[in-house]
mmCIF file of all heavy atoms in Angstrom:
data_model
loop_
_atom_site.group_PDB
_atom_site.id
_atom_site.type_symbol
_atom_site.label_atom_id
_atom_site.label_comp_id
_atom_site.label_asym_id
_atom_site.label_seq_id
_atom_site.Cartn_x
_atom_site.Cartn_y
_atom_site.Cartn_z
ATOM 1 N N SER A 193 -20.598 3.311 6.980
ATOM 2 C CA SER A 193 -21.990 2.899 7.187
ATOM 3 C C SER A 193 -22.503 3.322 8.554
ATOM 4 O O SER A 193 -23.681 3.146 8.861
ATOM 5 C CB SER A 193 -22.110 1.376 7.041
ATOM 6 O OG SER A 193 -21.221 0.724 7.930
ATOM 7 N N PHE A 194 -21.627 3.897 9.388
ATOM 8 C CA PHE A 194 -22.022 4.353 10.714
ATOM 9 C C PHE A 194 -22.235 5.864 10.764
ATOM 10 O O PHE A 194 -22.455 6.432 11.828
ATOM 11 C CB PHE A 194 -20.977 3.943 11.755
ATOM 12 C CG PHE A 194 -20.747 2.462 11.795
ATOM 13 C CD1 PHE A 194 -19.619 1.907 11.223
ATOM 14 C CD2 PHE A 194 -21.676 1.618 12.380
ATOM 15 C CE1 PHE A 194 -19.409 0.535 11.244
ATOM 16 C CE2 PHE A 194 -21.478 0.243 12.404
ATOM 17 C CZ PHE A 194 -20.344 -0.299 11.836
ATOM 18 N N SER A 195 -22.163 6.536 9.622
ATOM 19 C CA SER A 195 -22.362 7.985 9.574
ATOM 20 C C SER A 195 -23.846 8.323 9.730
ATOM 21 O O SER A 195 -24.723 7.483 9.544
ATOM 22 C CB SER A 195 -21.850 8.547 8.240
ATOM 23 O OG SER A 195 -22.616 8.045 7.161
ATOM 24 N N THR A 196 -24.111 9.588 10.060
ATOM 25 C CA THR A 196 -25.491 10.037 10.239
ATOM 26 C C THR A 196 -26.293 9.875 8.952
ATOM 27 O O THR A 196 -27.441 9.413 8.982
ATOM 28 C CB THR A 196 -25.512 11.512 10.681
ATOM 29 O OG1 THR A 196 -24.777 11.637 11.900
ATOM 30 C CG2 THR A 196 -26.937 11.990 10.920
ATOM 31 N N LEU A 197 -25.706 10.257 7.825
ATOM 32 C CA LEU A 197 -26.413 10.144 6.550
ATOM 33 C C LEU A 197 -26.770 8.702 6.246
ATOM 34 O O LEU A 197 -27.886 8.401 5.802
ATOM 35 C CB LEU A 197 -25.566 10.735 5.415
ATOM 36 C CG LEU A 197 -26.151 10.619 4.008
ATOM 37 C CD1 LEU A 197 -27.530 11.260 3.923
ATOM 38 C CD2 LEU A 197 -25.206 11.255 2.975
ATOM 39 N N ALA A 198 -25.833 7.794 6.480
ATOM 40 C CA ALA A 198 -26.087 6.374 6.222
ATOM 41 C C ALA A 198 -27.263 5.875 7.059
ATOM 42 O O ALA A 198 -28.120 5.127 6.576
ATOM 43 C CB ALA A 198 -24.834 5.553 6.522
ATOM 44 N N LYS A 199 -27.309 6.304 8.304
ATOM 45 C CA LYS A 199 -28.375 5.857 9.204
ATOM 46 C C LYS A 199 -29.732 6.446 8.834
ATOM 47 O O LYS A 199 -30.772 5.833 9.076
ATOM 48 C CB LYS A 199 -28.012 6.225 10.642
ATOM 49 C CG LYS A 199 -26.814 5.441 11.187
ATOM 50 C CD LYS A 199 -26.416 5.934 12.566
ATOM 51 C CE LYS A 199 -25.208 5.180 13.089
ATOM 52 N NZ LYS A 199 -24.760 5.692 14.415
ATOM 53 N N LEU A 200 -29.731 7.649 8.241
ATOM 54 C CA LEU A 200 -30.985 8.291 7.859
ATOM 55 C C LEU A 200 -31.546 7.751 6.540
ATOM 56 O O LEU A 200 -32.708 7.985 6.217
ATOM 57 C CB LEU A 200 -30.789 9.806 7.725
ATOM 58 C CG LEU A 200 -30.626 10.621 9.016
ATOM 59 C CD1 LEU A 200 -30.320 12.072 8.675
ATOM 60 C CD2 LEU A 200 -31.875 10.531 9.875
ATOM 61 N N SER A 201 -30.718 7.051 5.803
ATOM 62 C CA SER A 201 -31.090 6.639 4.442
ATOM 63 C C SER A 201 -31.942 5.380 4.413
ATOM 64 O O SER A 201 -31.837 4.510 5.281
ATOM 65 C CB SER A 201 -29.823 6.410 3.608
ATOM 66 O OG SER A 201 -29.025 7.583 3.566
ATOM 67 N N ASP A 202 -32.772 5.289 3.376
ATOM 68 C CA ASP A 202 -33.531 4.064 3.119
ATOM 69 C C ASP A 202 -32.636 2.993 2.502
ATOM 70 O O ASP A 202 -32.934 1.803 2.583
ATOM 71 C CB ASP A 202 -34.701 4.365 2.179
ATOM 72 C CG ASP A 202 -35.670 5.373 2.791
ATOM 73 O OD1 ASP A 202 -36.331 5.024 3.777
ATOM 74 O OD2 ASP A 202 -35.742 6.512 2.288
ATOM 75 N N TRP A 203 -31.550 3.451 1.871
ATOM 76 C CA TRP A 203 -30.540 2.556 1.283
ATOM 77 C C TRP A 203 -29.209 3.279 1.328
ATOM 78 O O TRP A 203 -29.136 4.478 1.038
ATOM 79 C CB TRP A 203 -30.911 2.209 -0.155
ATOM 80 C CG TRP A 203 -29.908 1.351 -0.887
ATOM 81 C CD1 TRP A 203 -29.883 -0.009 -0.951
ATOM 82 C CD2 TRP A 203 -28.785 1.803 -1.677
ATOM 83 N NE1 TRP A 203 -28.827 -0.437 -1.724
ATOM 84 C CE2 TRP A 203 -28.138 0.655 -2.182
ATOM 85 C CE3 TRP A 203 -28.269 3.064 -1.998
ATOM 86 C CZ2 TRP A 203 -27.006 0.735 -2.989
ATOM 87 C CZ3 TRP A 203 -27.138 3.146 -2.798
ATOM 88 C CH2 TRP A 203 -26.519 1.983 -3.291
ATOM 89 N N ASN A 204 -28.171 2.571 1.708
ATOM 90 C CA ASN A 204 -26.833 3.182 1.762
ATOM 91 C C ASN A 204 -25.787 2.230 1.226
ATOM 92 O O ASN A 204 -25.836 1.023 1.488
ATOM 93 C CB ASN A 204 -26.483 3.563 3.209
ATOM 94 C CG ASN A 204 -25.014 3.949 3.374
ATOM 95 O OD1 ASN A 204 -24.200 3.133 3.824
ATOM 96 N ND2 ASN A 204 -24.689 5.164 2.989
ATOM 97 N N PHE A 205 -24.860 2.789 0.465
ATOM 98 C CA PHE A 205 -23.679 2.032 0.062
ATOM 99 C C PHE A 205 -22.469 2.722 0.680
ATOM 100 O O PHE A 205 -22.246 3.908 0.455
ATOM 101 C CB PHE A 205 -23.513 1.991 -1.460
ATOM 102 C CG PHE A 205 -22.344 1.133 -1.882
ATOM 103 C CD1 PHE A 205 -22.544 -0.193 -2.210
ATOM 104 C CD2 PHE A 205 -21.061 1.643 -1.910
ATOM 105 C CE1 PHE A 205 -21.470 -1.002 -2.565
ATOM 106 C CE2 PHE A 205 -19.978 0.847 -2.263
ATOM 107 C CZ PHE A 205 -20.178 -0.479 -2.597
ATOM 108 N N SER A 206 -21.697 1.985 1.473
ATOM 109 C CA SER A 206 -20.492 2.531 2.095
ATOM 110 C C SER A 206 -19.277 1.766 1.591
ATOM 111 O O SER A 206 -19.273 0.531 1.594
ATOM 112 C CB SER A 206 -20.580 2.444 3.612
ATOM 113 O OG SER A 206 -21.628 3.259 4.097
ATOM 114 N N TYR A 207 -18.246 2.497 1.178
ATOM 115 C CA TYR A 207 -17.089 1.848 0.555
ATOM 116 C C TYR A 207 -15.945 1.591 1.528
ATOM 117 O O TYR A 207 -15.000 0.886 1.221
ATOM 118 C CB TYR A 207 -16.597 2.648 -0.660
ATOM 119 C CG TYR A 207 -16.597 4.145 -0.513
ATOM 120 C CD1 TYR A 207 -15.448 4.843 -0.191
ATOM 121 C CD2 TYR A 207 -17.762 4.879 -0.744
ATOM 122 C CE1 TYR A 207 -15.451 6.235 -0.078
ATOM 123 C CE2 TYR A 207 -17.781 6.265 -0.634
ATOM 124 C CZ TYR A 207 -16.619 6.926 -0.294
ATOM 125 O OH TYR A 207 -16.626 8.304 -0.178
ATOM 126 N N HIS A 208 -15.966 2.161 2.717
ATOM 127 C CA HIS A 208 -15.029 1.844 3.793
ATOM 128 C C HIS A 208 -13.553 1.908 3.363
ATOM 129 O O HIS A 208 -12.821 0.920 3.455
ATOM 130 C CB HIS A 208 -15.327 0.454 4.375
ATOM 131 C CG HIS A 208 -16.652 0.370 5.060
ATOM 132 N ND1 HIS A 208 -16.957 1.084 6.200
ATOM 133 C CD2 HIS A 208 -17.783 -0.337 4.750
ATOM 134 C CE1 HIS A 208 -18.188 0.811 6.577
ATOM 135 N NE2 HIS A 208 -18.729 -0.026 5.709
ATOM 136 N N LEU A 209 -13.134 3.085 2.908
ATOM 137 C CA LEU A 209 -11.728 3.306 2.609
ATOM 138 C C LEU A 209 -11.129 4.240 3.656
ATOM 139 O O LEU A 209 -11.848 4.932 4.371
ATOM 140 C CB LEU A 209 -11.563 3.909 1.210
ATOM 141 C CG LEU A 209 -12.062 3.065 0.033
ATOM 142 C CD1 LEU A 209 -11.719 3.738 -1.277
ATOM 143 C CD2 LEU A 209 -11.475 1.659 0.074
ATOM 144 N N LYS A 210 -9.810 4.267 3.731
ATOM 145 C CA LYS A 210 -9.133 5.100 4.722
ATOM 146 C C LYS A 210 -9.350 6.577 4.397
ATOM 147 O O LYS A 210 -8.961 7.045 3.326
ATOM 148 C CB LYS A 210 -7.637 4.793 4.728
ATOM 149 C CG LYS A 210 -6.857 5.562 5.782
ATOM 150 C CD LYS A 210 -5.393 5.185 5.742
ATOM 151 C CE LYS A 210 -4.593 5.957 6.778
ATOM 152 N NZ LYS A 210 -3.146 5.593 6.726
ATOM 153 N N PRO A 211 -9.963 7.345 5.311
ATOM 154 C CA PRO A 211 -10.183 8.781 5.042
ATOM 155 C C PRO A 211 -8.858 9.526 4.929
ATOM 156 O O PRO A 211 -7.911 9.234 5.667
ATOM 157 C CB PRO A 211 -10.963 9.261 6.279
ATOM 158 C CG PRO A 211 -11.518 8.025 6.889
ATOM 159 C CD PRO A 211 -10.526 6.935 6.608
ATOM 160 N N GLN A 212 -8.784 10.462 4.001
ATOM 161 C CA GLN A 212 -7.572 11.272 3.816
ATOM 162 C C GLN A 212 -7.946 12.741 3.934
ATOM 163 O O GLN A 212 -8.818 13.217 3.216
ATOM 164 C CB GLN A 212 -6.977 11.010 2.424
ATOM 165 C CG GLN A 212 -6.682 9.557 2.150
ATOM 166 C CD GLN A 212 -5.196 9.251 2.159
ATOM 167 O OE1 GLN A 212 -4.374 10.144 2.110
ATOM 168 N NE2 GLN A 212 -4.867 7.986 2.230
#
Side-chain angles (χ1 to χ4, degrees):
S193 56
F194 302 103
S195 65
T196 301
L197 177 57
K199 292 175 181 177
L200 287 175
S201 302
D202 299 292
W203 177 91
N204 169 260
F205 184 94
S206 295
Y207 40 99
H208 295 295
L209 298 185
K210 183 179 179 181
Q212 304 253 346

